[in-house]
Amino acid sequence: MKNEQIMQQQFQARMNEDELLNCMRCGFCLPTCPTYIESGFQESHSPRGRIALMKAVVDGLIEPDEDVERSLQLCLGCRACEPVCPSGVRYGHLLEEARDIIAQHKTYSPIVRFIRHLVFKQLFPYPKRMRIATALLGFYQRSGLQSFARKLGLLRLLPNHLATMEKVLPNVPTWKQMNERPTHVEALAPRKRRVAFFSGCLMDTMFMDINDRTMKLLQLAGCDIVIPEAQTCCGALHGHSGEKADAKTLAKRNIEAFEALNVDYIVTNAGGCGAFLIEYDHLLKDDPVWAERAKAFVAKIKDVSVILVELGFHHRSLRLPNQIVTYQDSCHLRNVMKTATEPRLLLQSIAGVEFREMKDADRCCGSAGIYNIVHPNMSMQVLDYKMEQAKQTKATTIVTANPGCLLQMKLGIEREGLTNVRAVHLVDLLFEAVEATKEATEPMKQTG
């Protein structure tokens, strides 16, 4: 039996037909879909069109051939279509299920099969291996190999977007720093909450400084923090790439790592991770052993911006030297975690910051996990539009709340040659404000 026939049977058995039927074909999703717009308004590259393709496969009208796969894989998975859907279609759930069916029955080339096995099964599920991989990148940066490669022009052998991406990678921590992570830190203000911190895989290696600053802000806000060592990758990369079984395994490991802790919240600082964590209840809904445990876990997930606002951090008298700031929404933070007001409130609370709202700040930047690597042309088209909107604000600082978005905005700045513009995580700017305010007040105290 051909793979297409097997896949069709799986579509019929596994796809939620009620959810497919919920789509009224009204078209409200069309103006929100970057791939629909950037493809020249091709219906097959819209949420409505993709749902129609899934439904046609389920009904046996078409086979899940390469055209269907191409349409589904070109989707950014930003889920901007969901908030505007009058029927409340959970498009993201349909997309992940369809991608999983295709991935499990697709015949990959040996090299692709090897890479997928290496990334999904041998690297991301193991924090120690992630630290080793990051340490190798750090060796490349600090040993002189990076300068040598650039001087010889070796990066020109890479596709343009990858060569540019190499330029904007953060300076990663050392092996020793990554292995000396805290498991508990106490509040630096009167204790208001006891929270657990989801440190993530890339966030606790490549972006470790952001994690450290996140914990410092939580401490200043009055949080005792527990960081369980047994936690692992959230599984988002697996879930979005057709490796649902592995995503479930990682979800169970994380639930076990956090559920015995006596905490008020589980805090995240990466929109992509948080959005996947907060849907563990959907991921494990058919598992009688884990469904209720997943619901309890999900009930405690909060983005750091939400916790800081809840604890009144935006009422602190923070100040930065005058600068114009705009905010780029993390798609999953906004569309899945429903968090958009709190980051803006925190930014607007800093004296000296002129906040300017970017047009279409809620439109995807084109990062979408590894999308900018596997679909570079569409990713760069989406990014070009985003950078045009950012330039219109005349902002000197672009703030976001997800590591992929952060790298993508830095990539855009580099591509546009904007030497007077920087991109930072929300936590970075808040921490800068804390430090700048402290420096400004300490001389006054000494004088007094």
Side-chain angles (χ1 to χ4, degrees):
M1 187 180 293
K2 294 194 305 180
N3 274 349
E4 285 84 355
Q5 292 174 311
I6 298 172
M7 280 193 275
Q8 191 154 35
Q9 291 176 354
Q10 287 295 302
F11 265 81
Q12 292 166 346
R14 290 173 51 182
M15 295 300 292
N16 186 334
E17 193 160 7
D18 289 339
E19 196 72 73
L20 290 171
L21 288 170
N22 278 343
C23 178
M24 301 185 302
R25 314 289 190 264
C26 66
F28 277 87
C29 59
L30 300 182
T32 71
C33 180
T35 56
Y36 173 70
I37 295 167
E38 297 298 335
S39 67
F41 309 107
Q42 290 187 40
E43 182 72 15
S44 61
H45 294 325
S46 72
R48 180 177 70 178
R50 292 180 176 112
I51 290 174
L53 289 175
M54 296 180 213
K55 182 68 169 61
V57 172
V58 170
D59 291 343
L61 300 177
I62 61 173
E63 289 187 343
D65 57 16
E66 290 183 2
D67 289 337
V68 172
E69 180 187 354
R70 188 179 303 111
S71 172
L72 298 181
Q73 297 298 358
L74 195 63
C75 178
L76 288 150
C78 68
R79 297 174 70 166
C81 51
E82 293 185 14
V84 301
C85 178
S87 300
V89 176
R90 304 302 296 271
Y91 170 80
H93 296 167
L94 293 171
L95 178 69
E96 287 180 7
E97 194 70 34
R99 282 179 170 175
D100 185 61
I101 294 169
I102 291 172
Q104 298 313 310
H105 298 90
K106 181 178 172 62
T107 302
Y108 293 104
S109 68
I111 185 65
V112 171
R113 196 160 58 244
F114 171 75
I115 292 172
R116 287 179 68 92
H117 177 80
L118 181 67
V119 171
F120 294 128
K121 299 185 184 297
Q122 299 300 324
L123 182 59
F124 275 84
Y126 300 99
K128 185 175 180 180
R129 295 177 190 177
M130 287 294 297
R131 293 195 292 271
I132 292 172
T134 306
L136 291 174
L137 175 60
F139 177 77
Y140 165 76
Q141 291 177 331
R142 288 186 288 270
S143 65
L145 283 175
Q146 185 178 56
S147 298
F148 183 70
R150 290 177 176 178
K151 286 178 182 177
L152 286 183
L154 297 180
L155 297 180
R156 288 198 294 270
L157 299 175
L158 296 173
N160 287 338
H161 70 289
L162 292 182
T164 307
M165 197 175 295
E166 189 270 352
K167 295 180 182 179
V168 301
L169 290 174
N171 293 321
V172 302
T174 64
W175 170 255
K176 181 180 180 182
Q177 289 172 324
M178 287 185 285
N179 280 283
E180 294 180 347
R181 306 300 288 146
T183 57
H184 179 266
V185 291
E186 296 183 354
L188 295 174
R191 181 179 171 231
K192 299 177 182 177
R193 299 286 188 275
R194 174 180 162 86
V195 303
F197 180 52
F198 184 82
S199 52
C201 41
L202 283 177
M203 289 303 296
D204 214 42
T205 50
M206 190 177 293
F207 297 94
M208 197 179 77
D209 285 348
I210 297 177
N211 270 5
D212 289 341
R213 291 165 188 158
T214 299
M215 288 188 280
K216 182 67 72 174
L217 293 178
L218 290 170
Q219 288 177 278
L220 292 170
C223 293
D224 284 349
I225 310 168
V226 183
I227 310 100
E229 291 183 274
Q231 65 178 297
T232 186
C233 172
C234 67
L237 182 63
H238 300 75
H240 300 328
S241 303
E243 299 290 340
K244 197 171 183 179
D246 289 335
K248 289 181 178 180
T249 299
L250 294 170
K252 292 171 184 177
R253 285 172 58 184
N254 281 322
I255 291 169
E256 281 186 322
F258 284 89
E259 66 184 351
L261 304 177
N262 180 27
V263 296
D264 301 304
Y265 301 118
I266 300 170
V267 182
T268 74
N269 62 0
C273 295
F276 202 73
L277 294 171
I278 210 168
E279 291 199 327
Y280 275 4
D281 55 344
H282 171 76
L283 185 67
L284 299 171
K285 63 181 172 50
D286 297 322
D287 190 319
V289 176
W290 290 91
E292 290 303 316
R293 295 167 73 178
K295 287 180 183 178
F297 175 88
V298 163
K300 292 188 176 184
I301 299 293
K302 299 280 185 183
D303 183 70
V304 61
S305 63
V306 175
I307 302 300
L308 291 177
V309 169
E310 181 179 307
L311 298 179
F313 202 85
H314 57 302
H315 294 313
R316 299 171 73 99
S317 299
L318 299 181
R319 176 175 291 277
L320 278 172
N322 291 341
Q323 57 184 290
I324 301 171
V325 172
T326 193
Y327 180 68
Q328 158 61 22
D329 284 282
S330 156
C331 295
H332 288 99
L333 183 61
R334 184 183 184 106
N335 299 327
V336 183
M337 297 189 77
K338 312 301 182 189
T339 300
T341 302
E342 291 85 354
R344 289 170 168 81
L345 189 59
L346 288 163
L347 291 174
Q348 291 168 340
S349 71
I350 304 172
V353 164
E354 180 186 345
F355 179 78
R356 293 184 183 175
E357 189 69 49
M358 185 196 310
K359 180 187 176 185
D360 293 332
D362 57 347
R363 185 183 292 187
C364 186
C365 64
S367 171
I370 59 172
Y371 188 96
N372 53 5
I373 296 174
V374 297
H375 297 290
N377 292 336
M378 179 60 74
S379 175
M380 294 304 104
Q381 280 182 243
V382 174
L383 176 60
D384 288 344
Y385 177 82
K386 178 61 63 175
M387 293 311 300
E388 188 57 40
Q389 308 319 308
K391 286 191 290 185
Q392 292 299 318
T393 68
K394 301 190 184 308
T396 53
T397 302
I398 303 172
V399 179
T400 188
N402 186 61
C405 302
L406 179 59
L407 282 181
Q408 186 80 340
M409 298 315 295
K410 288 186 174 184
L411 181 62
I413 290 169
E414 182 73 21
R415 278 164 55 88
E416 296 288 335
L418 304 177
T419 55
N420 64 331
V421 180
R422 62 174 182 156
V424 298
H425 193 284
L426 172 65
V427 162
D428 287 329
L429 197 71
L430 292 173
F431 187 78
E432 282 181 29
V434 168
E435 292 295 294
T437 305
K438 189 194 320 180
E439 291 174 7
T441 56
E442 281 178 352
M444 293 173 59
K445 291 179 181 178
Q446 293 172 3
T447 302

